Amino acid sequence: MERQPTSFPKPGDALEYMELTLEAYRNIVNYLGSRHDVATLCRVSKGFQYVCERALYNTLYLRDISRTISICNTLTGQPRLSVLVDALTIYLSHDEDDSDNDNQHEHPEDIEMTPIIEAYWPAISGALKKTKRLRYLNIHINKDTNKAVAWVLDDCTFRLRRFHCDLNWDFHLVAFLNTQVDLIDLYILDYNETGSVTPINNVSSPSLVLDANSLPNLATLECTFSEAAIALVPGRPITHLKTCFSRLDLFEKREEMALLFSKIKLSTQPFRSLDIADSRYSEAFSMELISSVVRFRATISELRYIGTLVLPVMGKECVEVEVSEWVPAPASPSAFRALSSEMRLYTPTVMRVIFVNEFDRTVVTAVNGVWRVEPDVNTDMLWRDI
């Protein structure tokens, strides 16, 4: 019998010969320690490219201006990559980019940054139009930067689930929010229904009020103005609200509170978390706030979290207590545990107490009947997690 020569895989057959399962590719990529390593592995084979590109572009955090422009131009020019983006965070802070402000006169190249800044928002606008499967979007802009750039959201077709923006409230932002039927979590820094008082070119300003049927699934709302909550809560399934009183005068604040709660009760779902900040906490007004909370079914039947108060509230699982004026104010873990135990003696449903001392928060939680101080809890997010 004639012996057949041994056959070996041809160079062109190497990829098929070494093909791994999708799960194996993902496991390998998950073990990599940096995005640079993932990008390098992306060039090894088609199989790795498929998995690595999804790992690289699924969640993007853009901070450096030049890098942001570069990545946005890539997304605009390559739809194959832009559809992979699920979560996008954009952070603009001129302070960080100009960290050597004291020596700017020694760096004439800083003058060349102007064209880059001018290209920044157009690049983002182009990328947002292409990220058609985006679900989570955060736009952070520091206080000294122009925030009237909501036009970057024009003609975007994605449907978000969570949206955090520091943009000015204008007709661009309103038009965008009117299209977001899947949005469940919204943070807005600005709110102003009146808009510009001076019409441009003798044309009246577009309406800055959301459509009544917009945001039908909104459940979590965080806004720095109570006027926004007053406008957005009615007719929507809001269960978590964080806002702030806008008025300082006690009489005006009472009117603001009455109006706010008259709108809160119009939510289509009972509240689970309510945090209304105040620039001036007082025992008397805290009691008035408590009275308003217990007056309505929307804020009493399912409520699990109340924000900062001067006195504890009965019947809730989590409360914040303002102790800045106590003499002496509690400072040790044993003091916090003792106060929490005393509170629970009279209010057995309380499982977590947050002590606020000059805006520093200490969290104490009951675990199997034992109170423990929790140093690692993110107190700014508790109202969302309840």
Side-chain angles (χ1 to χ4, degrees), residues 232-278:
L232 271 61
V233 170
R236 297 184 174 89
I238 305 291
T239 58
H240 293 63
L241 173 64
K242 183 175 183 178
T243 188
C244 181
F245 287 113
S246 302
R247 309 292 188 270
L248 297 177
D249 179 77
L250 181 59
F251 179 77
E252 294 179 348
K253 190 185 299 183
R254 285 170 176 161
E255 291 184 335
E256 181 182 6
M257 180 174 65
L259 179 59
L260 177 59
F261 276 91
S262 71
K263 301 301 182 181
I264 284 176
K265 71 178 183 180
L266 299 180
S267 171
T268 59
Q269 293 292 328
F271 269 65
R272 292 181 59 83
S273 175
L274 179 63
D275 189 346
I276 309 176
D278 195 343

Side-chain angles (χ1 to χ4, degrees), residues 32-329:
L32 297 179
S34 69
R35 294 178 67 88
H36 179 268
D37 292 340
V38 176
T40 301
L41 189 61
C42 188
R43 304 184 182 97
V44 171
S45 69
K46 290 291 185 181
F48 276 117
Q49 180 184 11
Y50 178 86
V51 176
C52 289
E53 285 183 345
R54 279 152 180 79
L56 287 169
Y57 289 95
N58 176 269
T59 302
L60 295 176
Y61 186 90
L62 307 180
R63 195 180 190 104
D64 177 76
I65 292 178
S66 298
R67 183 171 179 269
T68 297
I69 295 174
S70 176
I71 293 178
C72 286
N73 289 338
T74 298
L75 296 176
T76 302
Q78 300 190 44
R80 173 179 61 86
L81 299 177
S82 60
V83 297
L84 302 179
V85 183
D86 182 70
L88 175 61
T89 296
I90 300 167
Y91 186 94
L92 176 62
S93 174
H94 291 310
D95 292 340
E96 294 197 4
D97 289 303
D98 300 332
S99 57
D100 297 327
N101 283 336
D102 294 338
N103 299 317
Q104 278 188 356
H105 62 281
E106 299 178 2
H107 299 278
E109 64 272 13
D110 290 344
I111 301 175
E112 299 178 3
M113 285 295 294
T114 301
I116 298 179
I117 298 297
E118 292 177 350
Y120 182 80
W121 290 113
I124 291 174
S125 175
L128 290 177
K129 290 180 175 64
K130 298 295 183 179
T131 53
K132 298 181 180 181
R133 297 180 183 176
L134 190 67
R135 294 192 301 165
Y136 306 96
L137 176 61
N138 303 311
I139 302 178
H140 303 274
I141 307 174
N142 78 338
K143 60 183 180 180
D144 297 323
T145 305
N146 178 30
K147 298 180 176 62
V149 290
W151 54 267
V152 300
L153 301 170
D154 292 350
D155 302 322
C156 291
T157 58
F158 49 72
R159 291 164 60 163
L160 299 176
R161 290 182 60 80
R162 184 173 68 236
F163 182 39
H164 173 125
C165 81
D166 295 340
L167 304 173
N168 285 353
W169 184 269
D170 59 17
F171 70 92
H172 296 285
L173 182 56
V174 170
F176 170 74
L177 291 176
N178 281 333
T179 68
Q180 297 303 299
V181 296
D182 294 338
L183 195 67
I184 62 174
D185 189 332
L186 173 64
Y187 169 91
I188 51 176
L189 180 67
D190 184 41
Y191 186 80
N192 181 12
E193 290 184 356
T194 59
S196 175
V197 296
T198 304
I200 302 176
N201 297 328
N202 296 322
V203 178
S204 59
S205 300
S207 172
L208 297 185
V209 180
L210 290 174
D211 294 342
N213 296 324
S214 64
L215 306 178
N217 295 299
L218 187 63
T220 300
L221 173 63
E222 183 175 358
C223 48
T224 54
F225 295 94
S226 64
E227 290 83 359
I230 290 168
L232 271 61
V233 170
R236 297 184 174 89
I238 305 291
T239 58
H240 293 63
L241 173 64
K242 183 175 183 178
T243 188
C244 181
F245 287 113
S246 302
R247 309 292 188 270
L248 297 177
D249 179 77
L250 181 59
F251 179 77
E252 294 179 348
K253 190 185 299 183
R254 285 170 176 161
E255 291 184 335
E256 181 182 6
M257 180 174 65
L259 179 59
L260 177 59
F261 276 91
S262 71
K263 301 301 182 181
I264 284 176
K265 71 178 183 180
L266 299 180
S267 171
T268 59
Q269 293 292 328
F271 269 65
R272 292 181 59 83
S273 175
L274 179 63
D275 189 346
I276 309 176
D278 195 343
S279 59
R280 297 177 181 174
Y281 292 99
S282 69
E283 178 179 334
F285 190 75
S286 289
M287 294 306 298
E288 293 183 35
L289 179 60
I290 293 171
S291 298
S292 297
V293 168
V294 301
R295 189 177 302 140
F296 301 106
R297 178 180 295 274
T299 52
I300 194 61
S301 60
E302 299 292 334
L303 195 64
R304 298 293 181 269
Y305 181 94
I306 291 181
T308 303
L309 297 169
V310 174
L311 297 176
V313 185
M314 296 186 64
K316 304 304 164 203
E317 293 181 1
C318 179
V319 295
E320 291 191 20
V321 184
E322 168 63 52
V323 296
S324 301
E325 301 299 324
W326 290 20
V327 180

